[in-house]
Amino acid sequence: KAGVTQTPRYLIKTRGQQVTLSCSPISGHRSVSWYQQTPGQGLQFLFEYFSETQRNKGNFPGRFSGRQFSNSRSEMNVSTLELGDSALYLCASTRGQNYGYTFGSGTRLTVV
Amino acid sequence: DQQVKQNSPSLSVQEGRISILNCDYTNSMFDYFLWYKKYPAEGPTFLISISSIKDKNEDGRFTVFLNKSAKHLSLHIVPSQPGDSAVYFCAATPNTGNQFYFGTGTSLTVIP
């Protein structure tokens, strides 16, 4: 079956702009989480959605937001981009806590 | 506040030898632990997991050990192969939540 699909793979934006990233989970997975990966920081949790509701939120400013649609697809939005937002953004889906995550390949965002 | 820590950013091991990757955690509510492997330009892939009711789980060349009293887990790879060269992340989750907490990763290089 198809894996977790993230689009686009690469993005270059300028400071102050906003960006929307997309994630299509594995069919049947209703939980979608987003992580930010930067060198030396590991994977930092952004938020988790389940059945169109945000269930958990990490320690990121309000410029980072997300949503989930009825088909479980999720989008993440970052407004007023800063240079420090340059990172690999990973989306992961799961059918339950004890099944672990399946990650997408990520979107590499570069802010210039 | 890094609740899951991987204190060794890198590790080099000769092919055929054992690789030991370590992970420490601070939250006693964590009860499920996972290891992920990540190649460049790809999302992390699930490797092996362990529940807090066990102290060892084995899958082929990979074994995870959990020491709950020390809040420490380790991943053993025996024998190590050049294809194992990647970044390894440990992750943990509490029994009440849906959020996985990741370490900062250890970059393993297996030298042929």
Side-chain angles (χ1 to χ4, degrees):
Chain A
K1 56 183 175 183
V4 177
T5 304
Q6 289 188 249
T7 56
R9 287 297 307 273
Y10 301 94
L11 262 180
I12 299 176
K13 292 284 189 178
T14 56
R15 276 182 299 175
Q17 285 188 308
Q18 69 95 28
V19 67
T20 299
L21 313 181
S22 180
C23 172
S24 294
I26 289 175
S27 176
H29 287 193
R30 294 166 64 191
S31 170
V32 174
S33 297
W34 288 88
Y35 284 82
Q36 180 196 65
Q37 186 192 2
T38 54
Q41 293 293 315
L43 279 72
Q44 301 292 313
F45 175 75
L46 281 153
F47 25 67
E48 186 246 352
Y49 287 88
F50 181 85
S51 292
E52 303 178 64
T53 300
Q54 186 182 89
R55 286 200 300 195
N56 288 291
K57 189 177 191 307
N59 190 25
F60 277 81
R63 299 184 297 107
F64 292 81
S65 63
R67 59 178 175 168
Q68 186 180 33
F69 301 95
S70 58
N71 61 359
S72 293
R73 191 177 71 84
S74 178
E75 287 182 347
M76 187 192 115
N77 185 275
V78 188
S79 62
T80 320
L81 284 166
E82 300 177 359
L83 295 178
D85 297 333
S86 296
L88 179 68
Y89 289 89
L90 290 160
C91 166
S93 72
T94 181
R95 54 188 173 115
Q97 178 204 26
N98 288 344
Y99 294 95
Y101 282 155
T102 300
F103 282 89
S105 297
T107 294
R108 172 71 64 185
L109 172 65
T110 302
V111 182
V112 298
Chain B
D1 177 29
Q2 196 73 28
Q3 298 190 50
V4 178
K5 299 177 184 178
Q6 294 175 258
N7 293 317
S8 298
S10 62
L11 175 69
S12 290
V13 170
Q14 207 70 33
E15 181 179 4
R17 299 290 188 100
I18 183 171
S19 295
I20 300 177
L21 296 95
N22 293 303
C23 180
D24 298 292
Y25 61 96
T26 58
N27 190 338
S28 58
M29 296 298 293
F30 288 153
D31 74 337
Y32 191 67
F33 306 86
L34 309 93
W35 283 94
Y36 282 84
K37 177 179 177 180
K38 185 180 184 301
Y39 293 115
E42 293 182 14
T45 54
F46 171 74
L47 197 56
I48 192 169
S49 65
I50 188 167
S51 163
S52 61
I53 62 172
K54 294 185 174 182
D55 54 18
K56 176 182 173 181
N57 188 26
E58 195 170 353
D59 183 4
R61 297 185 297 113
F62 302 91
T63 303
V64 55
F65 294 92
L66 175 62
N67 183 333
K68 289 185 290 293
S69 60
K71 294 192 178 68
H72 177 84
L73 67 156
S74 61
L75 174 68
H76 292 208
I77 306 174
V78 184
S80 300
Q81 299 173 353
D84 296 331
S85 297
V87 177
Y88 289 78
F89 292 96
C90 66
T93 184
N95 57 9
T96 55
N98 299 288
Q99 177 181 341
F100 287 82
Y101 296 81
F102 284 82
T104 51
T106 296
S107 178
L108 172 66
T109 302
V110 180
I111 304 164

